[in-house]
């Protein structure tokens, strides 16, 4: 009996010890995670404290906070809603083009250029048109279509992220520049964006093939072929042309509202910070807490890098460097800088051409590339895509700059 009791007690102790071990391991893991998070939290606090503490030491805490609020409020009323209006109109126009086959027509015209220029199948031209009329993620939505994706090898399929991004929000950027009184310069910038797209797409394909040579022959969708099916159902069956026009305009306008709302956070957050780092004190030389005051750090840096920026971008004013920096995160936020630059007299034709080229080509790729590559299942190639597109955007700016110089030499 005694042995049985002892054995039972040993079993109970063993079971209790086994039950406690997972709990201890879970506790240890949670403690390790907390320890890992602590340095990141400290780094985050140091960066925020250093950034805003440095600004506040120059402007004063009250003036800094008032300037941030007033700048964000003015951007919301005078820039975001203006951009939303453009998005609604261009969205309606884009939907109308889709409904009545204009997109299909443009795609057929561009198709012969895809293979020799971009090293992509002809159907990729449809992605260029759709992203030009809307935004970067449209190319991923299209790439997930089995019929569309079946035309691509893997290295081509992956490079669609760079290819589509270079045309994202293109119509909105060009219409915005046209609305500010510039006509030839946005077209020069568009040509520069196309050149930047070629550089970015080809470079991405080179990096992919260097890392994964087998992707040259592997099908993007494991050899599935759906070429007998229509690419997209572009035409809706309506009882009359009037209803098709009306529905297209309203549906396109509604999608434009969604795009307009989606750019508000980028404009308010990124542009407000960039403007504080770009603009200086008031005309009297002191800080009053009004909108568009700041510490003018970016122009000071640009002055020291003039030896690089002048041949690359041809910028006539150091404040102009704020546009490409902002375009890295959101092109809508970058566009919000233009009206203020115009009011300050900091813009010229070259800047508009370069802004259009680099704004279209980059179009906020830092905030979208990771999600886009993750969606199609190639997250590990994000760094290669970002490097390729950074170089492509610089090539777009360089091409736009020299294109404008040629235009000015012969026609101005």
């Amino acid at each position: 009996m005694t042995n049985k009791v002892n054995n039972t007690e040993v079993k109970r102790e063993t079971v209790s010890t086994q039950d406690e071990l997972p709990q201890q391991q879970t506790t240890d893991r949670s403690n390790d995670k907390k320890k890992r998070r602590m340095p990141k939290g400290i780094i985050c606090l140091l960066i925020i404290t250093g950034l805003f503490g440095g600004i506040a030491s120059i402007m004063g805490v009250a003036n800094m906070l008032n300037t941030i609020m007033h700048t964000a409020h003015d951007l919301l009323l005078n820039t975001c809603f203006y951009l939303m209006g453009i998005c609604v109109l261009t969205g309606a126009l884009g939907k109308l083009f889709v409904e009545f086959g204009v997109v299909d027509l443009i795609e057929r015209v561009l198709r012969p250029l895809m293979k020799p220029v971009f090293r992509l199948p002809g159907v990729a031209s449809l992605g260029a048109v759709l992203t030009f009329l809307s935004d970067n993620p449209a190319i991923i939505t299209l790439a997930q279509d089995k019929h569309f994706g079946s035309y691509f090898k893997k290295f081509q399929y992956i490079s669609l992220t760079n290819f589509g991004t270079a045309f994202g929000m293109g119509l909105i950027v060009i219409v915005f520049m046209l609305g500010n009184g510039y006509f030839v310069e946005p077209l020069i910038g568009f040509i520069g964006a196309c050149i930047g797209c070629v550089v970015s797409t080809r470079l991405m394909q080179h990096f992919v093939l260097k890392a994964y040579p087998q992707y040259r022959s592997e099908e993007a969708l494991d050899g599935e072929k759906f070429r007998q099916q229509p690419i997209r159902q572009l035409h809706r069956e309506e009882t009359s042309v009037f209803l098709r026009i009306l529905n297209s305009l309203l549906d396109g306008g509604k999608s434009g509202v969604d795009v307009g709302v989606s750019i508000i956070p980028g404009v308010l957050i990124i542009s407000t910070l960039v403007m504080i780092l770009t603009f200086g004190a008031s005309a009297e030389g002191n800080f009053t807490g009004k909108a568009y005051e700041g510490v003018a750090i970016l122009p000071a840096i640009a002055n020291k890098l003039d030896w690089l920026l002048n041949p690359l971008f041809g910028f006539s004013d150091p404040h102009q460097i704020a546009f490409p920096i902002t375009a890295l995160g959101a092109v809508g936020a970058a566009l919000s800088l233009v009206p203020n630059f115009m009011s300050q007299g900091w813009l010229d034709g070259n800047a508009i051409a370069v802004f259009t080229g680099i704004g279209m080509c980059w179009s906020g790729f830092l905030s979208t590339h990771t999600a886009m590559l993750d969606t199609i299942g190639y997250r590990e190639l994000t760094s290669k895509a970002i490097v390729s597109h950074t170089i492509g955007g610089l090539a777009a700016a360089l091409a736009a700059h020299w294109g404008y110089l040629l235009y000015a030499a012969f026609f101005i």
Side-chain angles (χ1 to χ4, degrees):
M1 288 294 291
T2 304
N3 291 335
K4 288 183 179 180
V5 172
N6 291 334
N7 290 335
T8 304
E9 290 177 355
V10 170
K11 289 180 180 179
R12 287 176 182 175
E13 290 178 359
T14 304
V15 171
S16 61
T17 304
Q18 291 175 350
D19 291 338
E20 289 174 358
L21 282 174
Q23 294 178 357
Q24 290 177 356
Q25 291 174 355
T26 304
T27 305
D28 292 339
R29 288 174 184 173
S30 62
N31 290 333
D32 290 339
K33 288 182 179 179
K34 288 180 181 179
K35 290 179 180 178
R36 291 174 186 173
R37 289 175 185 171
M38 283 182 66
K40 293 182 180 179
I42 293 172
I43 292 171
C44 180
L45 285 175
L46 290 175
I47 292 174
I48 293 176
T49 303
L51 176 62
F52 290 101
I55 295 173
S57 66
I58 299 173
M59 300 180 65
V61 177
N63 290 329
M64 180 189 71
L65 294 176
N66 283 328
T67 295
I68 290 174
M69 299 305 172
H70 290 150
T71 302
H73 181 255
D74 189 78
L75 286 172
L76 177 63
L77 295 180
N78 297 321
T79 301
C80 291
F81 289 147
Y82 176 70
L83 288 173
M84 183 180 290
I86 294 176
C87 291
V88 170
L89 295 176
T90 55
L93 181 64
K95 187 69 174 180
L96 195 66
F97 283 173
V98 172
E99 179 66 29
F100 288 94
V102 178
V103 168
D104 194 22
L105 177 63
I106 297 173
E107 184 264 333
R108 290 178 184 176
V109 172
L110 296 177
R111 183 174 290 189
L113 299 175
M114 289 299 103
K115 189 170 183 179
V117 176
F118 295 99
R119 203 181 180 186
L120 292 172
V123 291
S125 58
L126 180 60
V129 176
L130 292 180
T131 51
F132 180 80
L133 296 175
S134 55
D135 202 355
N136 310 351
I139 192 70
I140 298 304
T141 304
L142 190 61
Q144 289 178 318
D145 181 86
K146 289 184 178 181
H147 165 70
F148 181 83
S150 67
Y151 285 86
F152 295 82
K153 303 297 182 182
K154 279 189 177 180
F155 79 97
Q156 297 172 325
Y157 186 75
I158 296 168
S159 69
L160 282 175
T161 300
N162 294 58
F163 174 74
T165 300
F167 295 102
M169 292 185 69
L171 183 61
I172 294 172
V173 172
I174 291 175
V175 170
F176 181 86
M177 298 302 184
L178 292 174
N180 281 281
Y182 296 93
F183 300 97
V184 177
E185 293 84 351
L187 299 180
I188 296 173
F190 173 73
I191 295 172
C194 292
I195 294 173
C197 181
V198 174
V199 173
S200 175
T201 304
R202 288 274 192 160
L203 200 56
M204 181 60 180
Q205 292 172 353
H206 170 74
F207 287 151
V208 172
L209 288 176
K210 187 176 180 180
Y212 304 99
Q214 68 274 20
Y215 284 2
R216 183 186 298 274
S217 57
E218 290 183 10
E219 299 286 346
L221 296 179
D222 299 325
E224 293 184 45
K225 301 297 179 182
F226 300 88
R227 292 186 172 90
Q228 301 303 318
Q229 301 173 11
I231 295 178
R232 287 177 66 88
Q233 186 64 32
L234 297 178
H235 300 278
R236 293 168 55 190
E237 296 296 331
E238 300 288 350
T239 56
S240 67
V241 174
F242 173 76
L243 283 178
R244 290 173 63 188
I245 294 175
L246 183 62
N247 288 337
S248 298
L249 293 176
L250 294 178
D251 292 343
K254 184 178 178 181
S255 65
V257 172
D258 296 335
V259 174
V261 171
S262 68
I263 68 176
I264 289 177
V267 171
L268 298 189
I269 297 170
I270 299 175
S271 291
T272 299
L273 179 59
V274 170
M275 286 184 176
I276 288 177
L277 299 177
T278 302
F279 291 91
S282 64
E284 293 77 19
N286 56 356
F287 296 102
T288 62
K290 293 182 180 179
Y292 308 115
E293 293 181 355
V295 294
I297 293 175
L298 292 181
I301 297 174
N303 277 325
K304 294 183 178 180
L305 296 176
D306 184 64
W307 58 272
L308 174 64
L309 298 177
N310 192 36
L312 190 63
F313 299 135
F315 286 161
S316 58
D317 191 284
H319 295 88
Q320 294 171 1
I321 191 62
F323 187 97
I325 291 175
T326 309
L328 287 168
V331 69
L335 292 177
S336 68
L337 302 174
V338 173
N340 293 285
F341 285 3
M342 291 182 65
S343 65
Q344 298 288 339
W346 294 340
L347 287 185
D348 54 16
N350 176 77
I352 293 297
V354 174
F355 286 179
T356 305
I358 203 167
M360 266 190 63
C361 190
W362 277 354
S363 56
F365 76 96
L366 282 183
S367 59
T368 59
H369 261 33
T370 302
M372 292 169 72
L373 283 165
D374 186 47
T375 301
I376 62 175
Y378 295 95
R379 184 194 296 176
E380 69 278 5
L381 296 171
T382 300
S383 60
K384 292 180 173 58
I386 289 176
V387 171
S388 301
H389 215 66
T390 301
I391 297 172
L394 296 176
L398 186 64
H401 168 51
W402 286 100
Y404 179 81
L405 290 181
L406 291 174
Y407 164 75
F410 288 100
F411 299 102
I412 298 179

